Amino acid sequence: MAMQTIGVTGMTCAKCVNHVRNALSALPGVREVVVDLESARATLDVEQEIDRETLRSTLAAEDYGLN
């Protein structure tokens, strides 16, 4: 088990938080995702670290960015 924290750009509301949480939760090996709008960060509880390109493309598909 590992924790991975990433910056997320483009979130402006609670609906954005839900979109980001759902998109990241769907990735293989993700156990839990906590998204904080105020800090523009997402913390993932993962089986093993997820590469930045996978995270970037997952967020981009929902119109958000990886910071």
Side-chain angles (χ1 to χ4, degrees):
M1 180 182 341
M3 300 301 278
Q4 187 171 355
T5 301
I6 59 171
V8 180
T9 61
M11 295 189 300
T12 59
C13 64
K15 191 173 182 180
C16 296
V17 168
N18 286 332
H19 285 157
V20 169
R21 182 185 310 113
N22 290 340
L24 294 173
S25 293
L27 291 171
V30 174
R31 293 186 177 126
E32 183 179 5
V33 177
V34 176
V35 180
D36 182 51
L37 178 61
E38 214 171 290
S39 68
R41 294 201 152 312
T43 302
L44 295 78
D45 178 356
V46 295
E47 292 175 9
Q48 64 183 25
E49 191 168 315
I50 299 170
D51 67 272
R52 288 189 62 80
E53 182 54 32
T54 298
L55 294 168
R56 188 204 62 74
S57 63
T58 298
L59 292 172
E62 298 294 323
D63 295 325
Y64 302 100
L66 179 63
N67 188 14

